[in-house]
Amino acid sequence: MTPSGAGEDWFERGFPHLWMPYAQMKTSAPPLAVRETRGSRIVLEDGRELVDGIASWWTAAHGYNHPHIAQAVRRQVEVMPHVMFGGLVHQPAAELAGRLAALLPGDLERVFFSESGSVSVEIAMKIAVQYWRNRGYRGRTRFLAFKGGYHGDTFATMSVCDPEIGMHAQFTGALLEQPIAELPADEERAQAFEAVLARHGSSLAAILVEPLVQGAGGMRFHGPAVLQRLRLLADRYDVLLIFDEIFTGFGRTGTLFACEQAGVVPDIITLSKALTGGTLPLAATVARRGIFEAFWSDDPSHALMHGPTYMGNALACAAANASLDLFAGEPRLAQVARISEGLHALDACREIPGVRDVRVLGALGVVELDHIDDLGALKARFIDAGVWVRPFRNVVYLAPSFTIDPDDLAFLTGTVVRVVAQHEGRQRAVGGVAPRTRDERLFG
Ligand SMILES: *Cc1c(COP(=O)(O)O)cnc(C)c1O
C-alpha cells in the first residue's frame, strides 16, 4: 500500500531509500505517489487528479507531456541522446544558442550550457571573477546581492541568497561572505545602496539580482525602475550586472524576459526552469559580447575553465528548441495576459483577515499572509481540495502552466480563496502561533 492507497508496491520498496528535498523526513508528510501527468493535471497512483497550480517548480510552461516536445525528444534519442561537448558540437546545441542569442536583448550572445540553475549561476559568478582577472584587475572577487534573493542551493549560490531565508545559519563558516543589500526601490534605499557600492566597489565582481520578482525568497515584486537604477550604478562603479532569470525567463512575468520591461541589458543572464518546457534539465549562462571578449586571447590562462560532463546534452537542447518553437508558434504571451486577468480573482483574499497583500504579475499570483502557523496542514487542505500548490513561509502562490484551461484556472483561484479563508478562520480560532521549523520556511 502506498500512502495514497494505491495497490502499487514500488513506493514501499523504494521510498525508504529516497532522500527528499527541503524536507525533515521524520516529521513531514510522505510525498504523494504520482502515476502520470497530462496538461495541467497530476494523476496520482490512487487515481486522484490534482490541478497543478505551480507547473512543477515553474518549469512546465506548455503543460505536461506536450506532444511537440515529446516528438522532438523521441526523434533526438534515436539519432544521438548525448555526446561530450569537449571538442565536439552538434546541431541541437548550436541551434539553441543561436535562437537564445536572437531572443535575448542587446548583445547577450555567447551561451554556456549546464544542467541546473544553480550551476548556471555559479558559472556566471566564475565568468564575472575571471573577467576582471583577465583584464588585469585583482581583488574583484565578491558579489553584491539582495535581501529576499534566491540564486540556488550550491555553496557559491547560497552565499548570495538572503541570509535569513537561505541556509547561512546552518553553514556558518563554510560560505563565502558577500555584502547583502536592500533593493534600491526608492530614493532613500538607492542612497544606502550607493553607499554600499562606494564602500565595496573595488572588491566587487558583480551585482546579482532576480529581475522584477524575487521568487523563492518570498515572491516579492519590484518595479523596472529598480533595474534601471542598478544598471546605472553598476556602470558608475564599474561593476558587472548579472540577472538571474531562471524563474522569470520565458514569459512568466508577461514578457519573454523580465529585463525587457525595464529596457535593461545585463552583462550576464542565467536561464533554466522553463527552458525545456519542464521536460529535461538544462540551463544557460549567456554573456554579452564584451564579457566574452575578455576571454578571447592568445593566453591559455584566459580561457573559461569549466565544462559539465553533460554540457549541451542533445536531448535537453532538442527539448528546448521544441519549447522555443511553441513560444514562437503559439500565443503564449497572450495566454499569460489572459491568466493574469484570471489570477485577479485572488483579489477576493484581500477581504480575509490575516491576508497582508495580494499581487499579480504575468502568470504569477501571490497571496501574502501575516504568517502561516501550520504549513503542513495548509498543504494537506489543498491536496484534499484537489489542487497542487506549495505554500511556503507566509505566501500562497499560483504559477500555472500557460496552457491551463480557464476552468482549471478558476478552480485554482477559487480553491485558494476558500482554503485560505478557512485556514485563517481556524488560525484565528486557535489563536496561537506555532513555532515554524526551519525546513517549512523554505520554498519546497
Ligand atoms: C530555481 C532557481 C535557481 C536554482 O535552480 P536549480 O535548477 O534548482 O539549481 C536559481 N535562481 C532562481 C531565481 C531560481 O528560481
Side-chain angles (χ1 to χ4, degrees), residues 340-353:
S340 213
E341 282 173 29
L343 287 171
H344 276 288
L346 295 174
D347 286 336
C349 289
R350 288 182 200 282
E351 307 301 316
I352 303 168

Side-chain angles (χ1 to χ4, degrees), residues 27-343:
T27 55
S28 54
L32 303 174
V34 178
R35 185 167 65 213
E36 58 181 315
T37 52
R38 53 175 109 97
S40 292
R41 304 293 182 96
I42 296 172
V43 184
L44 303 182
E45 281 287 10
D46 64 8
R48 278 183 295 168
E49 222 174 275
L50 303 180
V51 177
D52 185 354
I54 53 173
S56 276
W57 274 333
W58 332 320
T59 60
H62 319 285
Y64 294 113
N65 311 28
H66 196 288
H68 182 66
I69 301 179
Q71 194 195 15
V73 172
R74 223 176 281 126
R75 204 181 295 133
Q76 187 61 43
V77 82
E78 296 295 338
V79 179
M80 177 178 64
H82 179 74
V83 68
M84 65 183 281
F85 221 58
L88 301 172
V89 72
H90 50 75
Q91 186 185 345
E95 186 186 323
L96 179 58
R99 290 175 81 171
L100 290 174
L103 289 171
L104 286 163
D107 57 356
L108 284 162
E109 59 176 34
R110 193 60 73 155
V111 183
F112 195 101
F113 288 115
S114 56
E115 331 82 331
S116 85
S118 301
V119 172
S120 73
V121 175
E122 297 259 349
I123 292 164
M125 294 171 78
K126 211 162 148 178
I127 290 173
V129 168
Q130 198 178 344
Y131 166 86
W132 293 110
R133 279 191 74 88
N134 286 356
R135 290 189 51 205
Y137 291 78
R138 287 295 177 269
R140 282 182 167 270
T141 54
R142 298 172 81 206
F143 293 84
L144 180 49
F146 296 98
K147 291 202 175 124
Y150 173 82
H151 298 286
D153 292 348
T154 54
F155 272 91
T157 60
M158 278 195 289
S159 79
V160 285
C161 289
D162 179 300
E164 223 239 294
I165 299 162
M167 290 151 274
H168 291 232
Q170 287 98 315
F171 291 98
T172 307
L175 297 186
L176 302 165
E177 284 193 21
Q178 314 285 10
I180 306 287
E182 296 253 20
L183 279 169
D186 54 35
E187 212 36 64
E188 193 183 325
R189 278 177 281 183
Q191 279 178 17
F193 178 74
E194 189 161 359
V196 176
L197 264 185
R199 187 159 68 247
H200 294 283
S202 60
S203 71
L204 291 177
I207 300 166
L208 182 54
V209 71
E210 298 158 88
L212 298 189
V213 183
Q214 293 179 303
M219 299 292 169
R220 307 175 203 210
F221 297 177
H222 56 263
V226 170
L227 305 174
Q228 290 154 2
R229 206 169 270 147
L230 289 179
R231 181 71 272 181
L232 196 87
L233 291 171
D235 290 342
R236 185 177 299 163
Y237 287 86
D238 206 16
V239 174
L240 299 184
L241 183 60
I242 303 171
F243 281 0
D244 178 349
E245 290 229 26
I246 291 168
F247 175 38
T248 54
F250 303 104
R252 183 57 62 187
T253 67
T255 46
L256 196 57
F257 301 103
C259 61
E260 293 170 34
Q261 293 180 44
V264 166
V265 183
D267 298 299
I268 305 173
I269 195 165
T270 56
L271 305 170
S272 186
K273 294 226 159 78
L275 175 56
T276 64
T279 54
L280 283 151
L282 184 69
T285 307
V286 189
R288 291 178 74 166
R289 189 177 310 158
I291 303 299
F292 178 74
E293 279 169 357
F295 292 75
W296 181 267
S297 150
D298 294 320
D299 183 343
S301 78
H302 285 185
L304 178 61
M305 297 306 278
H306 203 95
T309 305
Y310 277 96
M311 180 168 177
N313 176 259
L315 283 179
C317 289
N321 280 315
S323 176
L324 292 185
D325 293 343
L326 294 173
F327 275 105
E330 296 191 2
R332 284 292 174 271
L333 295 182
Q335 288 168 317
V336 169
R338 198 205 71 213
I339 290 168
S340 213
E341 282 173 29
L343 287 171

Side-chain angles (χ1 to χ4, degrees), residues 430-444:
V430 174
V433 183
R436 287 168 294 175
T437 60
R438 184 109 201 139
D439 64 304
E440 285 178 330
R441 300 172 55 210
L442 293 167
F443 74 105

Side-chain angles (χ1 to χ4, degrees), residues 389-433:
V389 294
R390 298 282 281 174
F392 67 99
R393 289 162 52 80
N394 64 333
V395 298
V396 179
Y397 73 96
L398 293 173
S401 75
F402 303 154
T403 52
I404 190 167
D405 182 89
D407 291 342
D408 277 357
L409 181 63
F411 180 65
L412 284 173
T413 53
T415 305
V416 168
V417 174
R418 183 166 53 82
V419 170
V420 167
Q422 284 169 358
H423 184 83
E424 285 303 288
R426 217 200 102 259
Q427 189 158 298
R428 248 138 240 283
V430 174
V433 183

